[in-house]
């Protein structure tokens, strides 16, 4: 990182602020001393111009449609690597050597089981509970079961907690699914790779043999890679903010899961699929495009637009290909939903409104169709996203805890409420 000084005038104040330049991407103005020098805060609702931290994990160039994990393009990682390799990369900063890879896989695999009492914890939920509600609660509950990895000042405990979270998220996710459909929980199987094990825990039943489809396992692994990290998005920022107070990692990741649930973030793949089903046929598309453009209609094209990408989301291209692979495997080349999606994409990409506002398909546009084809109900889509994003959340949390300059996150505000006034007795109001 290099640093220069920038001079700014605000009202009568002339201030000198450090301007920091990272390895790639826009420079930042370090306004840490602004309040002390001017008595003013900055105001940036939604953080559209604010870098909340320094990070070495993930880089996005939204204008060019670039996504890098530790410098490696997402396209190369998704094409040549696997999810656990990406987890290792995000956590440790480098791709593993063959020995490190085997060792990491071994350690993750040996942490996949959850405390047997967790199964009884699940019995407290209604069967029809949304699996994301179950995830928020059960991930947070891990801190009640694994006391030996909640001391955040201990490097070893931090690493064990990280391993446990990456390893146990698929187990909890599969349990949430099984509980919802009334089937018995399936224990993890150590002979299977990460994605195959997850499919096995979701779809196997004790009464017959279940053989994992390798095309589905590869597709799921790729979906996990694509979702593993995405810089300082809403849920990651939530994890960092929760962690900044010193909360334990299980509680912080539970906070991330809660944030991810929202339809503007992780819930968009569920919303995108529902929208495609609602559109139903290509001839209905113009009606929905018109609604998306109508300022008086709250409807938005789900799976379109992104806070950072003002170009085609690089993950969406890989997702589209993965979607084709899964549908081909199922012999559904002419899937009606895919036809609607492709037509909608074509129309939106040539429509002036979408072109002008740089609204391109994002990853969620094709992930819903793919996950549905693989047999997942829509309520599980965001859960799968949470499983994948755990790697990024935990890497970002670790980076923050290990930063010597780390402080509790405590934003300020522009107060527009009532000024000082005296209490009014009830009979005088
Ligand atoms: N359909 C129609 N219009 C849209 C859409 C859309 N999907 N997205 C943005 N716009 C319009 C919006 O109305 C606004 O218009 P105007 O400038 O005239 O007021 C303009 O584009 C800018 O939108 P914004 O809401 O100010 O942009 P934002 O950066 O705050 O929002 C977003 C980004 C992703 C929340 C938004 O594009 C959206 O709601 N998209 C649909 C939901 C979705 O697909 N979310 C998944 C995001 S990718 C997964 C992830 O990383 O979590």
């Amino acid at each position: 990182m290099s640093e220069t000084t920038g001079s700014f005038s605000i009202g009568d104040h002339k201030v000198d602020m450090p301007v920091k330049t990272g390895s790639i991407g826009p420079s930042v103005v370090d306004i840490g001393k602004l309040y002390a020098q001017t008595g003013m805060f900055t105001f940036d609702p939604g953080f559209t111009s604010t870098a909340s931290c320094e990070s070495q994990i993930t880089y996005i160039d939204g204008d060019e449609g670039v996504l890098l994990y530790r410098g490696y393009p997402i396209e190369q990682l998704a094409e040549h690597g696997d999810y656990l390799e990406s987890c290792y990369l995000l956590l440790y900063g480098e791709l593993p050597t063959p020995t490190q890879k085997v060792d990491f896989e071994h350690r993750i695999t040996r942490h996949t089981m959850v405390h047997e009492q967790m199964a009884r914890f699940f019995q407290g939920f209604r069967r029809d509970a949304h699996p994301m509600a179950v995830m928020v609660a059960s991930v947070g509950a891990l801190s009640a079961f694994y006391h030996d990895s909640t001391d955040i000042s201990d490097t070893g405990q931090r690493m064990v907690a990280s391993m446990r979270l990456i390893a146990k998220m698929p187990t909890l996710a599969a349990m949430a699914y099984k509980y919802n459909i009334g089937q018995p929980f399936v224990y993890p199987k150590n002979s299977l790779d990460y994605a195959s094990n997850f499919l096995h825990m979701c779809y196997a039943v004790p009464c017959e043999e279940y053989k994992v489809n390798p095309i589905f396992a590869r597709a799921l692994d790729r979906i996990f890679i694509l979702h593993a990290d995405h810089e300082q998005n809403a849920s990651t920022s939530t994890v960092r903010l929760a962690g900044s107070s010193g909360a334990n990692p299980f509680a912080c990741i539970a906070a991330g899961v809660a944030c991810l649930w929202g339809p503007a973030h992780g819930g968009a793949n569920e919303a995108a699929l529902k929208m495609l089903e609602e559109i139903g046929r290509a001839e209905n598309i113009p009606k929905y495009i018109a609604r998306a453009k109508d300022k008086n209609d709250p409807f938005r094209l789900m799976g379109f637009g992104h806070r950072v990408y003002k170009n085609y989301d690089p993950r969406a291209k890989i997702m589209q290909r993965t979607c084709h692979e899964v549908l081909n495997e199922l012999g559904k080349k002419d899937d009606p939903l895919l036809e609607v999606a492709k037509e909608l994409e074509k129309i939106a990409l040539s429509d002036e409104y979408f072109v002008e506002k740089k609204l391109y398909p994002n990853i969620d546009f094709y992930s819903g169709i793919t996950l549905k084809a693989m047999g997942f109900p829509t309520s599980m889509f965001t859960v799968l996203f949470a499983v994948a994003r755990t790697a990024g959340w935990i890497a970002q949390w670790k980076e923050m805890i290990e930063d010597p300059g780390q402080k509790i996150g405590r934003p300020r505000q522009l107060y527009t409420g009532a000024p000082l006034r005296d209490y009014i007795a009830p009979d005088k109001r």
Side-chain angles (χ1 to χ4, degrees), residues 264-265 268 295 300-304 306-307 353 357 362 364:
H265 191 8
K295 281 270 149 272
R300 283 185 168 201
L301 276 194
M302 298 314 282
F304 269 80
H306 198 274
R307 169 60 63 79
Y353 173 94
K357 294 187 188 302
N362 59 50
D364 293 317

Side-chain angles (χ1 to χ4, degrees), residues 48 227 230 233 260 263-269 271-272 291-293 295 299-310 313 315 353-354 357 359 362-365 385 389:
T48 52
H227 287 87
H230 213 225
N233 57 87
L260 188 74
H265 191 8
N269 50 14
R291 282 189 62 194
K293 288 160 45 171
K295 281 270 149 272
F299 175 79
R300 283 185 168 201
L301 276 194
M302 298 314 282
F304 269 80
H306 198 274
R307 169 60 63 79
V308 182
Y309 293 119
K310 301 303 170 199
D313 179 343
R315 304 167 302 170
Y353 173 94
F354 289 87
K357 294 187 188 302
L359 298 169
N362 59 50
I363 186 168
D364 293 317
F365 192 59
F385 191 161
R389 186 53 59 85

Side-chain angles (χ1 to χ4, degrees), residues 3 6 8 10 13-18 20 29-42 407:
E3 193 173 313
F8 307 90
I10 306 168
H13 301 277
K14 186 172 173 306
V15 281
D16 291 333
M17 299 277 159
K20 297 178 172 172
V29 183
D30 179 349
I31 51 125
K33 302 253 170 356
L34 184 74
Y35 182 63
Q37 289 186 22
T38 66
M40 280 187 256
F41 297 132
T42 54
K407 289 189 174 106

Side-chain angles (χ1 to χ4, degrees), residues 38-58:
T38 66
M40 280 187 256
F41 297 132
T42 54
F43 181 60
D44 184 17
F47 306 114
T48 52
S49 293
T50 298
S52 61
C53 63
E54 185 187 324
S55 181
Q56 300 181 352
I57 301 175
T58 293

